[in-house]
Amino acid sequence: MAAEARRNNALSHLHHDSCWPRLLLALLWRRRPPRPGPGPGPPLSGARGAARRCGAIAGPERCARHSPACQGKAIGRRAEALHASGQQNPRSRGGAHTAAATGQRRDTGTGTPEPGQRAAAAGQSNRCGPAVPRRTASAQSGAIEGGVAACGRYGGGRAAAPGAPGHEGRRAPRRVPGGGAAAAPRPGRHRAAAGVRGHLPLRGAAGAAAGTARIQFVLKHKEFAHLREVKAFPNALNPHKEESRALVKAMIDQVMALHEDIKWFHIGCDEVYYLGEGEESKQWLQQQDNTPEKLCLSHIKAVASCVVSSYPTVTPIVWDDMLRGISEEALAESGVPQLVQPMIWDYAADLDVEGKVHLIEKYRRCGFSKVWFASAFKGATGVNQSLILIGHHLKNHLQWLKVASKSPADVLEGIALTGWQRYDHFSVLCELLPVAIPCLAVCLQTLKNGGYSDKVKENVEELLGMSNLEIDTFMSTSLGAFPGSNILTLVTEISFYLKSSVDELLERNRYVTGWFSPYHRKRKIIHPIIMHHFQPDAVSLLSKWNGVVQDLQAAMEQVFHRCTVEEWMEENVYPSLQKLQQVVDDLDEAIKALQ
């Protein structure tokens, strides 16, 4: 009871306003009942092991990465129906990224048109324009209710913040592939978020932001390959096809059906590298006065208009990287500043403060009423990273504090703390959310207090039940009392010692390399005296690591989907553990051959 009270008190501290417009804590979690399946155990090698591991996700509820076919058909039928009838999606029951948020939306008084006026200015009715190519945002863009939002990027992770993140393996959605998005529920409600089961209590949720999922998630399917901007790449949607517009409309409606009271909707628009390279776009660009910048702005305007015309109380948010190089005149004349709020993203520890201040000034001159910042509390430091270097992310947030201090007081709507789960839809998992909780706490406390100090460090250690929080190294020497701390401890142990201990035995133990080499193992040859010099060590090491892995698998299965656990194990555990298992098996065979 005391520990629970301490955690609840810790969460309440993180909700208090300080130097930011409105400070909030919003974490993405996923709640689903555990699936039946085999309990944790040592990995099996060969076909039998593969069958057992794949069996965890077999059937109609396979994760997205293992069942491409099932994801495309439902949305294909729905998009065709929308195209034919012009109707909106009914309420969806599909999974969605979620987060809770606090604060009340402010009347900025900056002359921004009302939602209905925005739609009129865009020249749109209830018709959705061309879809936004490439990362159309998602959990990474996260629920943002003003102030500070901590959001996962896809699947317990960067639902795809710019710079690279993407989607964590998960069960196939029932409608639009990747139709889940970041959004905050109404007060007292917790909706499903990709990646993790369970949730933290979040107080005072009132509105939020949402975004459609990464477009790669849809365009990877054969059913939608014809909608790609460039035939070979699933990164961008062809903006000239009516079916593309119907697809985007369906995705927007699915998110809105789940989150009727949101105030912001992140529509993505980052890193659209291949926009303009499709055949239809090339023909369009040959017309007088047409440019790639104009094509990009027309994308943004059309999708934003689709949101505000159908949902006039919702303000679209876009990643800003495609806007940075566009002239002020082109931006102002496009009508985009009256429709959206740009989210300026930068995850570097040494981000250019003065450059960001000048960029904000440019956006204000173009007519944008508000801007958002986007930092990162996990991801952005290594595509297959498994542990967090807190110091990197801390420096990033300290730089954003400098940007805020040098910007007009009324310009900042909020900051989103993105948490990547992949660099893109096809990459491996990077840091898991439980591993990143201490870093998230440090970043939030830094924003709350307007800087970092020994006192902030002590606050985080007390809130998380950690005796010694490491900032400048990957190694955390203390256990924690926060949810998921056991996963952090076990991941740390495996990341530092599993491969190194196995390699030490198999590659640097003279008895193994000299008397039980691959040549000996293949022919089942072993010196009956020499084997006693390394057999006990090999068996003991295998027993130890099997126990650690079983503990980690059991802990992860309380939080993640089985397909996520399977992927992390195959990437980070099985290669070394199976090598160790194989040498022990070969040793047993050689001993039998002696008898």
Side-chain angles (χ1 to χ4, degrees):
M1 293 296 291
E4 182 178 356
R6 185 171 69 252
R7 286 195 295 272
N8 290 338
N9 185 51
L11 287 169
S12 68
H13 288 325
L14 293 176
H15 287 282
H16 294 324
D17 286 359
S18 67
C19 62
W20 290 88
R22 277 155 294 160
L23 178 64
L24 67 87
L25 170 62
L27 289 175
L28 299 178
W29 294 88
R30 182 165 201 156
R31 302 192 67 200
R32 290 196 187 213
R35 298 190 209 171
L44 300 177
S45 59
R48 187 160 62 97
R52 178 172 122 177
R53 291 191 295 275
C54 290
I57 55 168
E61 295 188 337
R62 298 172 182 171
C63 75
R65 293 169 63 86
H66 292 79
S67 182
C70 65
Q71 302 168 39
K73 296 177 181 177
I75 183 55
R77 291 191 296 268
R78 186 56 186 152
E80 291 174 3
L82 282 167
H83 178 48
S85 66
Q87 295 178 354
Q88 294 185 7
N89 256 8
R91 183 179 299 274
S92 167
R93 294 184 182 180
H97 300 280
T98 66
T102 63
Q104 299 296 323
R105 187 176 185 181
R106 296 173 296 179
D107 187 357
T108 62
T110 57
T112 303
E114 290 302 315
Q117 294 173 315
R118 292 200 305 264
Q124 300 288 330
S125 58
N126 289 325
R127 172 180 166 278
C128 179
V132 179
R134 194 154 177 170
R135 298 188 174 110
T136 39
S138 47
Q140 93 244 28
S141 51
I144 327 162
E145 172 50 66
V148 180
C151 40
R153 283 189 172 175
Y154 243 138
R158 175 177 159 176
H167 163 210
E168 167 178 305
R170 56 192 176 118
R171 287 165 59 175
R174 295 305 183 206
R175 292 182 179 274
V176 180
R186 287 186 286 272
R189 299 174 65 184
H190 297 276
R191 292 198 183 274
V196 214
R197 290 194 292 262
H199 70 281
L200 292 177
L202 298 172
R203 301 187 179 100
T212 54
R214 179 185 300 277
I215 205 68
Q216 294 175 356
F217 195 38
V218 181
L219 296 183
K220 71 176 184 179
H221 299 290
K222 292 180 179 179
E223 294 90 337
F224 297 100
H226 66 288
L227 298 180
R228 297 173 180 177
E229 170 74 340
V230 177
K231 184 178 299 185
F233 306 135
N235 296 43
L237 195 68
N238 185 329
H240 307 282
K241 290 184 179 292
E242 288 293 327
E243 192 177 348
S244 295
R245 293 194 287 270
L247 176 65
V248 172
K249 176 63 172 171
M251 295 173 75
I252 291 171
D253 288 341
Q254 284 186 27
V255 175
M256 293 303 302
L258 286 170
H259 307 286
E260 299 169 343
D261 59 349
I262 63 174
K263 296 179 180 179
W264 290 276
F265 194 112
H266 205 308
I267 60 174
C269 310
D270 68 309
E271 299 180 340
V272 193
Y273 300 135
Y274 299 102
L275 181 63
E277 295 188 15
E279 291 304 316
E280 292 177 74
S281 291
K282 288 179 179 178
Q283 294 177 14
W284 184 87
L285 290 171
Q286 290 176 0
Q287 301 174 23
Q288 187 175 5
D289 297 330
N290 284 349
T291 64
E293 291 77 15
K294 187 178 292 186
L295 180 59
C296 179
L297 290 171
S298 69
H299 265 295
I300 297 174
K301 183 175 181 178
V303 176
S305 297
C306 182
V307 174
V308 300
S309 61
S310 297
Y311 309 98
T313 62
V314 175
T315 299
I317 299 171
V318 297
W319 296 118
D320 84 304
D321 55 289
M322 298 304 295
L323 307 178
R324 296 171 192 171
I326 300 178
S327 69
E328 294 182 24
E329 181 181 11
L331 282 172
E333 292 177 352
S334 69
V336 167
Q338 286 70 47
L339 285 166
V340 307
Q341 293 176 347
M343 182 174 283
I344 306 170
W345 60 269
D346 196 323
Y347 315 121
D350 59 349
L351 71 83
D352 180 2
V353 173
E354 293 302 324
K356 293 295 183 292
V357 173
H358 293 321
L359 186 59
I360 292 169
E361 293 171 350
K362 169 186 174 178
Y363 289 154
R364 289 299 295 269
R365 290 193 299 268
C366 293
F368 291 103
S369 61
K370 294 281 187 179
V371 302
W372 296 78
F373 298 162
S375 60
F377 70 90
K378 77 185 186 86
T381 61
V383 67
N384 62 342
Q385 191 91 334
S386 59
L387 296 175
I388 301 283
L389 186 60
I390 296 178
H392 172 93
H393 299 284
L394 171 60
K395 291 174 183 176
N396 176 246
H397 287 82
L398 291 174
Q399 292 296 92
W400 277 119
L401 281 171
K402 293 178 182 178
V403 176
S405 68
K406 295 185 177 183
S407 302
D410 63 341
V411 69
L412 178 59
E413 187 75 78
I415 179 170
L417 285 76
T418 67
W420 307 12
Q421 200 68 359
R422 315 181 173 275
Y423 270 58
D424 72 20
H425 182 65
F426 295 92
S427 68
V428 299
L429 293 166
C430 53
E431 305 97 315
L432 299 171
L433 178 58
V435 172
I437 294 297
C439 185
L440 175 59
V442 167
C443 295
L444 286 168
Q445 282 286 311
T446 297
L447 295 177
K448 176 179 182 290
N449 291 278
Y452 185 74
S453 64
D454 289 341
K455 180 60 177 177
V456 169
K457 182 176 183 289
E458 292 172 4
N459 287 343
V460 173
E461 290 173 343
E462 180 180 356
L463 296 173
L464 300 183
M466 302 183 74
S467 61
N468 182 27
L469 182 67
E470 297 287 346
I471 299 296
D472 298 319
T473 69
F474 288 106
M475 192 64 163
S476 177
T477 58
S478 64
L479 298 174
F482 60 91
S485 59
N486 56 338
I487 295 178
L488 170 57
T489 300
L490 293 169
V491 166
T492 300
E493 184 175 2
I494 285 173
S495 298
F496 272 89
Y497 300 120
L498 173 58
K499 185 178 186 301
S500 62
S501 65
V502 172
D503 289 347
E504 180 70 25
L505 175 70
L506 302 187
E507 299 174 13
R508 290 181 286 278
N509 184 301
R510 63 189 296 262
Y511 298 109
V512 175
T513 59
W515 283 270
F516 204 50
S517 69
Y519 178 89
H520 296 88
R521 292 168 63 181
K522 182 178 180 180
R523 291 161 177 79
K524 298 181 175 58
I525 300 172
I526 183 68
H527 193 298
I529 294 178
I530 293 295
M531 72 177 184
H532 294 294
H533 287 282
F534 70 88
Q535 183 190 31
D537 291 339
V539 171
S540 175
L541 191 63
L542 178 63
S543 176
K544 172 198 170 181
W545 284 120
N546 272 331
V548 172
V549 170
Q550 288 181 29
D551 289 345
L552 177 59
Q553 183 168 327
M556 289 180 67
E557 287 177 350
Q558 296 299 312
V559 177
F560 295 101
H561 284 264
R562 289 295 298 271
C563 54
T564 302
V565 180
E566 170 192 303
E567 180 183 353
W568 198 91
M569 292 292 179
E570 287 192 13
E571 290 287 343
N572 299 281
V573 173
Y574 293 164
S576 293
L577 197 60
Q578 287 174 343
K579 284 170 58 178
L580 182 58
Q581 178 72 62
Q582 191 61 56
V583 78
V584 171
D585 291 345
D586 289 346
L587 183 58
D588 289 341
E589 292 295 321
I591 293 172
K592 289 179 183 178
L594 289 174
Q595 299 172 352

